Amino acid sequence: MSQLPVIFKRELASYFATPLAYVFIVIFLVLSGVFTFYLGGFFESGQANLSAFFNFHPWLYLFLVPAIAMRLWAEERKSGSIELLMTLPITRFEAVTGKFLAAWVFAGIALLLTFPMIITVNYLGEPDNGAIITGYLGSWLLAGAYLAIGSCMSALSKNQVIAFILAVSACFLFIVSGFPMVLDAFAWAPQWWVDAVASLSFLVRFDAISKGVIDLRDLLYFLSLIAAWLTATAVVIDLKKAD
């Protein structure tokens, strides 16, 4: 019998057993409001949509999501509880996936608590709610990609701060990979190579989904990225289990 649900419930409950969950949610909600209404020019735009809300998510997640992910494995390795976890009748896949899904659902809960944004924009006008729902889906997938990368970085180090810095750095590279200044550095390479580097950008993929355009390629990109980094996490855990 799969132990995945057991691990998932245990990990999700652990978030709310400490002030960490509540601090993260409050910070996320406050910053979302500040970025949307003050820095994003929500009222100045005169448009009933949440583009100002979603535009800041890649940058907002850059620091907040790795803060969730840094404890996934670094804490287990530092305390030595990872040895106990690995002796339980669970597979490496169940352990890695269970921890990730708990963190992803937690991030989803924080995202859903921004529902007053939807109420506000519907009160002020007649927005395309289909595009808004798509934007939320894209935002959750983006958070999942950040978490998967953060999970792997957390498995690499026993120090949560180092895991946080590694995750932020890796996610930042995925964000800027589509920037002109980065692509200019590959001017010597074949065009297909430049296009491949640009296609790795979180911004390029997320921007389309947040505007209501669901492309199967974008969905597969995020899901494949998550699967790849979780696989890397399992490999790292296996290699580091003797540390």
Side-chain angles (χ1 to χ4, degrees), residues 19-80:
L20 174 65
Y22 306 100
V23 170
F24 172 85
I25 290 174
V26 169
I27 292 176
F28 175 70
L29 295 179
V30 170
L31 290 180
S32 293
V34 170
F35 287 156
T36 301
F37 296 112
Y38 293 96
L39 300 181
F42 176 82
F43 294 110
E44 289 82 356
S45 68
Q47 298 180 349
N49 60 55
L50 288 181
S51 59
F53 172 63
F54 292 120
N55 285 343
F56 287 99
H57 280 202
W59 304 103
L60 189 58
Y61 287 159
L62 181 60
F63 295 99
L64 293 183
V65 174
I68 302 175
M70 68 182 185
R71 64 180 290 275
L72 288 178
W73 292 102
E75 185 178 352
E76 297 272 11
R77 291 188 60 209
K78 184 176 181 180
S79 65

Side-chain angles (χ1 to χ4, degrees), residues 25-185:
I25 290 174
V26 169
I27 292 176
F28 175 70
L29 295 179
V30 170
L31 290 180
S32 293
V34 170
F35 287 156
T36 301
F37 296 112
Y38 293 96
L39 300 181
F42 176 82
F43 294 110
E44 289 82 356
S45 68
Q47 298 180 349
N49 60 55
L50 288 181
S51 59
F53 172 63
F54 292 120
N55 285 343
F56 287 99
H57 280 202
W59 304 103
L60 189 58
Y61 287 159
L62 181 60
F63 295 99
L64 293 183
V65 174
I68 302 175
M70 68 182 185
R71 64 180 290 275
L72 288 178
W73 292 102
E75 185 178 352
E76 297 272 11
R77 291 188 60 209
K78 184 176 181 180
S79 65
S81 59
I82 189 171
E83 284 82 4
L84 176 60
L85 180 63
M86 292 299 102
T87 58
L88 296 176
I90 59 175
T91 64
R92 195 86 73 242
F93 167 80
E94 290 173 339
V96 171
T97 306
K99 280 177 165 288
F100 167 76
L101 288 178
W104 201 13
V105 168
F106 171 65
I109 291 173
L111 185 60
L112 287 176
L113 288 176
T114 62
F115 70 90
M117 296 282 188
I118 302 177
I119 297 175
T120 300
V121 78
N122 274 275
Y123 176 76
L124 295 175
E126 297 180 357
D128 182 351
N129 285 308
I132 291 177
I133 293 174
T134 302
Y136 269 88
L137 173 62
S139 181
W140 192 51
L141 288 171
L142 181 67
Y146 279 61
L147 281 170
I149 294 173
S151 175
C152 185
M153 298 302 126
S154 180
L156 282 170
S157 176
K158 294 181 180 179
N159 189 303
Q160 293 190 38
V161 176
I162 294 177
F164 173 79
I165 294 173
L166 289 175
V168 171
S169 300
C171 291
F172 180 74
L173 290 177
F174 272 95
I175 290 177
V176 301
S177 64
F179 281 26
M181 60 181 293
V182 174
L183 298 179
D184 289 343

Side-chain angles (χ1 to χ4, degrees), residues 159-241:
N159 189 303
Q160 293 190 38
V161 176
I162 294 177
F164 173 79
I165 294 173
L166 289 175
V168 171
S169 300
C171 291
F172 180 74
L173 290 177
F174 272 95
I175 290 177
V176 301
S177 64
F179 281 26
M181 60 181 293
V182 174
L183 298 179
D184 289 343
F186 291 90
W188 52 270
Q191 186 58 42
W192 66 266
W193 195 344
V194 177
D195 293 339
V197 173
S199 68
L200 292 175
S201 175
F202 284 156
L203 292 182
V204 174
R205 302 290 183 172
F206 175 66
D207 185 58
I209 299 177
S210 66
K211 290 179 179 178
V213 180
I214 297 183
D215 190 319
L216 183 59
R217 291 172 296 181
D218 294 331
L219 298 179
L220 289 176
Y221 166 79
F222 282 113
L223 295 177
S224 298
L225 192 72
I226 290 172
W229 281 100
L230 291 184
T231 300
T233 302
V235 171
V236 170
I237 292 172
D238 194 51
L239 294 174
K240 295 273 188 179
K241 62 184 178 182

